[in-house]
C-alpha cells in the first residue's frame, strides 16, 4: 500500500503543454505514472506526443475528468493563474491536487485552500516537489530512480532534502514520499501525512523533515504524542538561520522568538522523536531504529 | 518584504486611516526644517526594518526644531539589530487619551488571516499575550467574507476597543487585501481627547510573491541592502549574507540550510546562503560562484548539490566556466550527487584545478570545508 498515490491513480496535468509541464509529464510517464491527459483551454482537442504516447489535451478539468476518470491533478500553472486552476480542479471534483508552482501569492493560497477544503479536495503544496510511491506512481518532480519501494514513509517541507534522504536510504526503500512544500500556507501538513502513514500497514517508520518558520513541527510533535504509534525520526534544517531573514522558502523565516530550529528539535525530542543533526546522521538513526525493531521481531 | 514606517504610513493614509502629519529626513539639518514645518513638537523615529526601535533608543520626543535636530543627529547612523539608520521620520506630536493594539496576521496553522487586537496597546504585545492572554482578542477571518462592517464591530467588541475602531479595522483589512500584505500592524492606535483614532505607528509586510501585480514597492531601497545581495538578486539567485567564512552554494532551500548547519556543526561559520534553485544552468552556477568568491570574508567555498532536476554536469560546467574568468585563490570543496553526478565529477576531475577538491558525502564535504576555512589565509 501507500498513501494518497498508487499505481491505480489516474493523473491529469494542468499546464502540460508548457515547458515545465512537458518536461515533467515525460518524466512521470517514464516512472510508470498513469498520466491520462492535460488541460489547456486554448489547445483543447489536440494531442501531445510523448515518445510515441499521444496524450489528449482537454479544454477543462471537468471535461478531462468526465472522459478519463482522472483522480489526481498535477499543476504546473504560472503563479498568476494558479488560484483559478486549483479552484477549477476542486470544482470538477478532483480528490487530489498537487501544486508544484512556486511563487504563488499567499492571499491566493488562502483563498484556494479554503475553497478546496469546502469541496473535499486535498491539496499538496504549493511550491512543492509533489509525491512519489516508488515503483507505482510519481505525481510531481521528485526523481523516480533514486530509491526503491520499501517500508519508510517520508514527509518533508524541502524538495532537495527529500531527495537526499531518499538516496541515503535507497536500500531500505519507501512506501510514499510526500513533499508538502515550504510556503506559509500549505494544503497538506506534516500532521495529515503522519495520520495517513500511521494508518498505512506497509509503512513501518516515518521520517519527518522540517525547517525554520511557523510552528508546524511543534504541532506535529503534539500529534505524534497523541496519535502515532510507529517510530518517527526527524530532521530540522536552519539552525544557523538569523532572525528576520527569509531563507529561500517563503515560509522559512525566524520571526521574533518563534520558528527556530532549536525549538522545533526540542519539541520533537520531548515526545520521543530522535532528531538527526545532518541528513546523513538522520539516515543512520533510521537504520538503527529499524535494526532494533527487526531485532525485537526476529524469532528467538 | 517589510516596508519602512513612513511607507506603511503612506499606505494607511491612502486607505483612509488617520495618521499624524510626518516627513522624512536623512540629515539632522533637514530634520530641523521638517520639525519647523510640522509645528515644532515632534517625535523623531529611526527608519529601519526592525522592531524594538523605542527600546534601542531610536524613538525620541522633541519639544522644538533645535531639539529635533539634536535627536536626529543622535539617531542617524545608529545600529539597530544590525540595521544602520539612514533616515528618520519626524511625526507631529499627538495628544493621547488611550492606546490600543490592532493587527492582521497570517495564521499558518489555519491557513487564513487572524485579527489580533487589544485594549492594552503601546507596549510589547508579546508580553501582554504571554502574561495576560485574556487581554488579547484573536478573531479568525473567513477568507470568503473578509472584514465587513459587522465583523469589524465583532473584533472591536472582543478586544474592548471603542465602537468607532470598526472603521479603522475595516480600512486596515483593505490595506491587507489590496496591497497583498502578509502583516499589517498598528501599535499604538491612539484615541485623542477629541475622540479621534490615529495610527501612531505603522508596520506592513508585503508578499514578495505578489510583485507581479503589486510592482509599486518593487525596486525600493536596494542601496540599503548588502551590495552582494543586490548583485545576486539581479542575477536571479537567492542569496543571504551571513557573518562567517565558508561560502555555501547549493540547490534547494532545505539542502542549503542543512549545509549551513553542517558547516556550523564542524566549528566553522557560513558566510552566506546561496540557492541556485531547481534546474540551474551552468551560467547560474557560474554566476553564483562569482558572487561568493567576490566576498572578501570568504576563505573557503563549499558547493553541495543533490541533482534532482538540476543536472550535476551542468553544475560542474558552471564551476569550470567560473574558473576561466576568476583566478581562484580560495579552496573549493564540491559534493555532487544525484542526476548526472558521474559526468559532473568527471568534468571536475578533468579540470584538475589544484584548489578544487571533491567530497563523496555532504558531511565529509562540510568537514573538509571547515578545515580548509581555518588554514586558508584571510584575503
Amino acid at each position: 500500500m501507500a498513501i494518497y498515490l498508487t499505481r491505480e491513480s489516474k493523473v491529469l496535468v494542468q499546464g502540460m503543454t508548457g515547458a515545465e509541464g512537458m518536461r515533467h509529464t515525460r518524466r512521470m510517464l517514464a516512472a510508470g505514472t498513469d498520466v491520462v491527459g492535460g488541460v489547456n483551454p486554448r489547445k483543447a482537442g489536440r494531442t501531445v506526443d510523448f515518445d510515441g504516447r499521444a496524450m489528449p489535451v482537454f479544454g477543462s478539468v471537468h471535461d478531462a475528468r468526465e472522459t478519463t476518470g482522472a483522480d489526481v491533478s498535477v499543476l504546473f500553472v504560472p503563479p498568476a493563474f494558479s488560484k483559478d486552476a486549483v479552484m477549477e480542479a476542486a470544482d470538477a471534483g478532483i480528490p487530489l491536487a498537487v501544486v508544484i508552482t512556486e511563487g504563488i501569492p499567499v492571499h491566493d493560497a488562502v483563498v484556494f485552500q479554503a475553497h478546496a477544503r469546502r469541496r473535499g479536495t486535498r491539496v499538496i503544496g504549493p511550491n512543492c516537489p509533489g509525491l512519489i510511491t516508488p515503483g507505482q506512481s510519481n505525481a510531481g518532480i521528485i526523481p523516480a530512480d533514486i530509491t526503491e519501494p520499501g517500508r519508510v514513509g517520508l514527509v518533508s517541507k524541502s524538495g532537495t532534502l527529500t531527495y537526499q534522504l531518499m538516496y541515503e536510504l535507497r536500500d531500505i526503500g519507501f512506501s510514499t514520499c510526500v513533499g508538502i512544500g515550504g510556503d506559509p500556507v500549505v494544503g497538506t501538513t506534516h500532521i495529515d501525512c503522519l495520520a495517513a502513514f500511521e494508518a498505512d500497514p506497509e509503512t513501518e517508520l516515518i521520517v519527518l523533515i522540517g525547517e525554520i518558520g511557523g510552528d508546524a513541527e511543534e504541532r506535529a510533535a503534539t500529534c505524534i504524542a497523541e496519535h502515532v504509534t510507529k517510530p518517527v525520526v526527524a530532521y530540522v534544517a536552519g539552525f544557523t538561520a538569523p532572525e528576520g531573514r527569509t531563507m529561500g522558502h517563503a515560509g522559512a523565516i525566524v520571526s521574533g522568538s518563534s520558528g527556530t530550529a532549536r525549538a522545533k528539535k526540542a519539541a520533537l525530542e520531548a515526545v520521543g522523536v530522535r532528531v538527526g543533526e545532518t541528513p546523513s546522521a538522520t539516515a543512520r538513526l533510521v537504520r538503527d531504529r529499524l535494526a532494533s525493531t527487526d531485532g525485537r521481531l526476529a524469532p528467538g | 518584504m517589510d516596508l519602512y514606517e513612513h511607507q506603511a504610513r503612506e499606505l494607511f493614509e491612502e486607505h483612509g486611516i488617520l495618521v499624524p502629519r510626518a516627513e522624512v529626513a536623512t540629515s539632522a539639518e533637514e530634520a530641523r526644517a521638517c520639525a519647523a514645518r510640522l509645528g515644532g513638537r515632534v517625535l523623531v523615529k529611526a527608519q529601519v526594518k526592525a522592531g524594538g526601535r523605542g527600546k534601542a533608543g531610536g524613538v525620541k520626543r522633541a519639544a522644538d526644531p533645535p531639539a529635533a535636530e539634536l535627536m536626529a543627529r543622535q539617531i542617524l547612523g545608529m545600529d539597530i539589530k544590525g540595521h544602520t539608520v539612514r533616515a528618520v521620520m519626524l511625526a507631529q506630536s499627538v495628544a493621547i487619551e488611550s492606546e490600543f493594539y490592532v493587527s492582521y496576521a497570517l495564521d499558518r496553522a489555519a491557513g487564513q488571516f487572524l485579527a489580533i487586537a487589544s485594549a492594552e496597546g503601546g507596549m510589547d504585545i508579546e508580553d501582554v499575550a504571554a502574561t495576560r492572554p485574556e487581554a488579547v482578542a484573536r478573531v479568525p477571518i473567513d477568507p470568503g467574507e473578509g472584514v465587513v462592517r459587522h465583523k469589524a464591530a465583532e473584533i472591536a467588541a472582543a478586544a474592548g476597543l471603542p465602537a468607532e475602531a470598526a472603521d479603522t479595522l475595516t480600512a486596515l483589512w483593505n490595506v491587507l487585501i489590496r496591497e497583498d500584505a502578509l502583516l499589517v500592524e498598528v501599535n499604538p492606535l491612539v484615541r485623542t481627547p477629541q475622540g479621534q483614532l490615529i495610527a501612531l505607528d505603522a508596520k506592513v509586510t508585503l508578499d514578495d510573491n505578489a510583485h507581479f501585480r503589486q510592482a509599486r514597492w518593487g525596486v525600493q531601497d536596494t542601496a540599503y541592502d548588502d551590495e552582494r545581495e543586490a548583485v545576486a538578486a539581479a542575477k536571479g539567485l537567492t542569496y543571504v549574507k551571513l557573518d562567517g567564512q565558508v561560502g555555501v552554494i547549493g540547490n534547494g532551500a532545505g539542502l542549503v540550510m542543512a549545509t549551513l548547519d553542517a558547516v556550523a556543526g564542524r566549528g566553522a561559520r557560513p558566510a552566506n546562503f546561496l540557492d541556485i534553485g531547481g534546474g540551474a544552468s551552468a551560467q547560474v552556477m557560474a554566476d553564483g560562484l562569482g558572487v561568493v568568491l567576490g566576498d572578501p570574508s570568504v576563505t573557503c567555498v563549499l558547493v553541495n548539490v543533490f541533482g534532482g532536476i538540476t543536472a550535476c554536469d551542468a553544475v560542474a560546467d558552471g564551476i569550470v566556466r567560473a574558473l576561466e574568468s576568476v583566478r581562484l585563490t580560495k579552496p573549493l570543496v564540491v559534493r555532487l550527487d544525484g542526476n548526472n553526478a558521474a559526468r559532473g565529477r568527471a568534468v571536475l576531475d578533468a579540470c584538475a584545478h589544484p584548489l578544487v577538491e571533491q567530497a563523496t558525502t555532504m558531511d565529509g564535504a562540510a568537514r573538509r570545508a571547515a578545515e580548509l576555512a581555518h588554514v586558508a589565509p584571510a584575503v
Side-chain angles (χ1 to χ4, degrees):
Chain A
M1 250 184 75
I3 68 167
Y4 306 144
L5 187 74
T6 68
R7 69 178 87 252
E8 276 75 44
S9 302
K10 291 183 187 301
V11 176
L12 187 70
V13 182
Q14 286 177 262
M16 185 180 79
T17 54
E20 290 294 300
M22 293 279 281
R23 173 145 72 131
H24 293 291
T25 300
R26 184 168 282 115
R27 289 168 65 121
M28 284 190 268
L29 283 165
T33 306
D34 184 9
V35 181
V36 295
V39 178
N40 183 335
R42 293 181 313 280
K43 296 185 179 172
R46 297 193 205 172
T47 57
V48 180
D49 179 82
F50 290 96
D51 310 316
R53 291 180 65 176
M55 281 295 140
V57 181
F58 297 92
S60 70
V61 179
H62 177 81
D63 290 353
R65 184 160 161 75
E66 291 268 286
T67 310
T68 65
D71 53 9
V72 177
S73 184
V74 182
L75 289 92
F76 294 96
V77 175
F81 310 106
S82 290
K83 181 176 82 176
D84 287 346
V86 177
M87 302 212 351
E88 185 190 338
D91 286 341
I94 292 278
L96 180 68
V98 183
V99 188
I100 308 301
T101 310
E102 180 180 358
I104 297 176
V106 169
H107 281 279
D108 291 1
V110 165
V111 170
F112 75 63
Q113 302 287 12
H115 187 77
R117 267 198 303 277
R118 273 196 300 274
R119 298 278 169 164
T121 294
R122 168 175 298 286
V123 175
I124 294 181
N127 187 18
C128 78
L131 70 166
I132 181 169
T133 295
Q136 295 191 43
S137 189
N138 187 13
I141 65 175
I142 297 175
D145 55 358
I146 52 175
T147 195
E148 298 292 319
R151 50 188 174 149
V152 175
L154 187 149
V155 51
S156 170
K157 276 185 177 178
S158 153
T160 35
L161 287 176
T162 300
Y163 313 161
Q164 175 77 33
L165 260 298
M166 284 168 62
Y167 182 71
E168 301 245 13
L169 295 168
R170 59 194 178 280
D171 53 323
I172 293 173
F174 291 83
S175 50
T176 302
C177 303
V178 188
I180 59 174
D183 274 10
V185 176
V186 292
T188 295
T189 63
H190 285 123
I191 291 176
D192 296 324
C193 294
L194 286 167
F197 282 130
E198 173 73 11
D200 173 29
E202 284 182 6
T203 300
E204 288 176 34
L205 179 148
I206 305 162
V207 176
L208 181 150
I209 300 175
E211 62 187 29
I212 54 165
D215 65 347
E217 294 80 359
E218 287 85 340
R219 283 182 283 117
T222 306
C223 165
I224 290 165
E226 291 170 1
H227 303 295
V228 180
T229 61
K230 295 177 182 179
V232 182
V233 172
Y235 175 69
V236 181
F239 283 88
T240 46
E243 188 185 326
R245 302 302 307 272
T246 303
M247 301 298 266
H249 283 161
I253 179 168
V254 175
S255 38
S257 57
S258 73
T260 65
R262 205 161 303 286
K264 293 170 188 300
K265 180 171 188 272
L268 288 162
E269 286 179 337
V271 299
V273 175
R274 298 283 304 275
V275 182
E277 288 181 357
T278 65
S280 313
T282 309
R284 280 196 295 279
L285 291 175
V286 171
R287 288 179 194 284
D288 291 351
R289 189 60 209 246
L290 283 173
S292 70
T293 311
D294 292 347
R296 257 208 320 281
L297 293 178
Chain B
M1 178 187 68
D2 293 335
L3 291 184
Y4 288 101
E5 182 195 3
H6 64 90
Q7 296 168 321
R9 177 198 162 281
E10 198 180 307
L11 275 186
F12 281 11
E13 198 169 25
E14 282 173 27
H15 287 271
I17 297 167
L18 286 182
V19 290
R21 281 178 58 211
E23 292 185 28
V24 178
T26 53
S27 73
E29 295 72 24
E30 206 185 329
R32 180 183 185 135
C34 293
R37 284 195 293 272
L38 292 165
R41 292 180 68 84
V42 290
L43 273 179
V44 186
K45 306 174 83 175
Q47 297 299 289
V48 283
K49 294 176 177 182
R53 290 174 302 167
K55 282 180 194 160
V59 179
K60 293 178 189 293
R61 206 168 281 282
D64 53 29
E69 180 178 341
L70 185 69
M71 305 294 172
R73 203 175 300 284
Q74 290 168 1
I75 293 172
L76 286 165
M78 246 173 95
D79 181 278
I80 299 179
K81 292 185 183 171
H83 301 265
T84 307
V85 182
R86 297 173 201 273
V88 290
M89 187 175 91
L90 295 298
Q92 201 168 40
S93 192
V94 170
I96 298 171
E97 188 191 80
S98 42
E99 298 182 286
F100 315 108
Y101 174 93
V102 294
S103 71
Y104 292 106
L106 185 65
D107 178 353
R108 290 166 54 137
Q112 61 187 30
F113 285 89
L114 188 67
I116 305 172
S118 175
E120 297 185 18
M123 51 173 124
D124 211 334
I125 193 69
E126 282 87 2
D127 290 347
V128 179
T131 54
R132 308 198 330 96
E134 71 283 358
V136 180
R138 299 163 63 88
V139 182
I141 313 294
D142 184 316
E145 291 178 8
V147 178
V148 288
R149 180 98 214 145
H150 72 87
K151 188 72 183 182
E154 180 196 326
I155 299 163
L161 306 183
E164 61 268 31
D167 289 339
T168 311
L169 284 162
T170 311
L172 209 55
W173 177 259
N174 291 338
V175 173
L176 185 86
I177 290 295
R178 295 201 193 137
E179 311 293 337
D180 265 302
L182 299 178
L183 170 77
V184 294
E185 181 180 57
V186 187
N187 191 26
L189 174 70
V190 303
R191 192 169 199 270
T192 66
Q194 294 75 35
Q196 280 184 314
L197 284 170
I198 301 180
L200 275 207
D201 194 7
K203 184 168 183 204
V204 172
T205 304
L206 299 179
D207 184 352
D208 294 331
N209 283 344
H211 274 170
F212 67 83
R213 62 187 178 206
Q214 305 279 359
R216 178 178 180 194
W217 307 102
V219 290
Q220 58 137 11
D221 80 47
T222 40
Y224 281 32
D225 294 321
D226 183 90
E227 181 194 333
R228 242 168 298 282
E229 291 185 356
V231 172
K235 292 185 183 295
L237 301 164
T238 309
Y239 174 89
V240 177
K241 178 81 182 89
L242 301 169
D243 62 0
Q245 325 81 26
V246 180
V248 176
I249 303 174
N251 64 324
L255 187 65
V256 181
M257 270 192 275
T259 313
L260 303 183
D261 292 346
V263 166
R266 295 294 174 181
R269 291 207 318 275
N272 65 273
F273 169 105
L274 198 162
D275 178 7
I276 57 172
S281 65
Q283 189 58 48
V284 169
M285 178 63 218
D287 289 344
L289 196 53
V291 168
V292 172
L293 286 172
D295 179 352
S297 57
V298 167
T299 58
C300 174
V301 180
L302 167 54
V303 176
N304 182 26
V305 168
F306 192 98
I309 309 162
T310 304
C312 291
D313 53 343
V315 171
D317 285 341
I319 293 171
V320 172
R321 187 179 298 182
L323 296 181
E324 283 163 3
S325 57
V326 188
R327 201 177 70 83
L328 189 66
T329 56
K330 306 160 184 180
L332 183 63
V333 180
V334 184
R335 177 267 184 162
L336 299 174
D337 248 325
N339 184 8
N340 286 353
R343 290 223 302 265
R345 292 190 203 118
V347 167
L348 292 182
D349 284 341
C351 162
H353 193 290
L355 284 172
V356 177
E357 57 179 270
Q358 298 197 58
T360 53
T361 66
M362 174 172 159
D363 290 356
R367 191 188 321 121
R368 186 64 184 139
E371 283 168 15
L372 290 168
H374 289 301
V375 298
V379 178

